[in-house]
Amino acid sequence: MIPACAQPNKRKLTPLLVQRLRPQARAYLVWDTVQRGLALPVEPSGYMAYKVVYRHHKKQLRSAT
């Protein structure tokens, strides 16, 4: 059995899902299953901001919106 912390948290990011996400004791990421590289970090304070991970000329870049 794979531990829960090793399983990626992948869901289809819909407005309803984002509205229902609740903060936990530790920050966590919810990755989108439709758009590759799109994630939504949820902080313990309840703050959420979309995060995009992409590559350009073989360099990994991260962007938060």
Side-chain angles (χ1 to χ4, degrees):
M1 185 169 163
I2 299 173
C5 61
Q7 295 177 353
N9 193 7
K10 293 185 178 182
R11 310 274 303 271
K12 183 176 179 181
L13 291 178
T14 62
L16 183 60
L17 174 73
V18 172
Q19 186 179 17
R20 290 183 176 176
L21 290 175
R22 297 290 174 239
Q24 297 177 358
R26 296 177 66 185
Y28 64 97
L29 281 173
V30 180
W31 292 92
D32 191 21
T33 57
V34 178
Q35 181 62 47
R36 185 176 177 184
L38 180 64
L40 182 68
V42 181
E43 299 292 327
S45 64
Y47 178 77
M48 295 183 242
Y50 287 100
K51 179 178 187 177
V52 179
V53 178
Y54 63 96
R55 291 182 187 270
H56 182 68
H57 296 295
K58 298 183 182 179
K59 291 183 181 179
Q60 185 171 349
L61 304 171
R62 296 173 188 242
S63 174
T65 305

